[in-house]
Every structure is written in C-alpha cells, then in structure tokens.
Amino acid sequence: MRKKVGQVSESEKLQIQQLFERRNGLAELAKIVTADNDELYNKLVKDMGETSSKFQQWWDDTSSKYNWESSQNGHWEIDFNTNNIYLVTEE
C-alpha cells in the first residue's frame, strides 16, 4: 500500500535527491571497485557510510519536523516530481 503522508519544500527535495543520487552512484561504483585497490576501496566505503548516514538523518529529521505517519513495517518514499512523501507498507 502507498499512502501520501506529506510534502516537502523544493529545497528539502533537492537535498534528499542529491543524497539519493550520490548513494546510487556509489553503489554502482562499488560493483566495479575491488579491495585490491586499498586506497580507492577505503574511500568508497567511507563515503558510502557517510552518505547513508546523511540520507537516513534527512529522513529522521524531516519526518520529525512534519510529524509524518509511520509504520513499523513500512518506509517513506519521495516522488521527486511532486515533492510528495508516501508511506509504503505491505498489505
């Protein structure tokens, strides 16, 4: 089930969109970088950790700010075209 629970400002949307794209890009890079290249691998792991933390912090802070409905078995998603936030749960 997908239920609209809120909307964010354009600047808030841009913040999470940047983190979303960076996280996805790093995940793609992780598919080709091996542990053989210690320096690059370590930078990648560190960046992935920092980006994931910032991504989760955005959701935590923004959901608290707007008091979005939540579910123990669900997660929020954003529609980057409308700035709408949806609670996604399994039925």
Side-chain angles (χ1 to χ4, degrees), residues 7-25:
Q7 192 172 40
V8 294
S9 70
E10 186 67 16
S11 65
E12 289 167 327
K13 185 262 310 239
L14 292 174
Q15 291 170 350
I16 194 64
Q17 188 173 26
Q18 181 182 24
L19 291 169
F20 176 81
E21 291 171 358
R22 182 168 187 82
R23 189 180 70 160
N24 287 349

Side-chain angles (χ1 to χ4, degrees), residues 3 13-14 21 33 37-38 43 51-52 60 63 79 82 84:
K3 176 183 178 183
K13 185 262 310 239
L14 292 174
E21 291 171 358
V33 172
N37 186 337
D38 274 350
K43 284 182 179 181
T51 301
S52 291
D60 293 345
S63 66
D79 180 331
T82 64
N84 290 334

Side-chain angles (χ1 to χ4, degrees), residues 30-67:
K31 293 177 183 178
I32 59 172
V33 172
T34 65
D36 295 341
N37 186 337
D38 274 350
E39 185 178 345
L40 184 57
Y41 180 79
N42 289 334
K43 284 182 179 181
L44 176 62
V45 169
K46 181 181 179 206
D47 199 358
M48 287 177 73
E50 290 173 356
T51 301
S52 291
S53 292
K54 289 176 184 177
F55 185 82
Q56 186 59 51
Q57 191 64 51
W58 184 93
W59 284 107
D60 293 345
D61 293 346
T62 310
S63 66
S64 180
K65 175 182 174 181
Y66 291 112
N67 198 28

Side-chain angles (χ1 to χ4, degrees), residues 65-81:
K65 175 182 174 181
Y66 291 112
N67 198 28
W68 293 330
E69 178 182 341
S70 62
S71 171
Q72 192 171 26
N73 297 323
H75 65 276
W76 294 296
E77 290 181 352
I78 184 170
D79 180 331
F80 290 119
N81 294 316

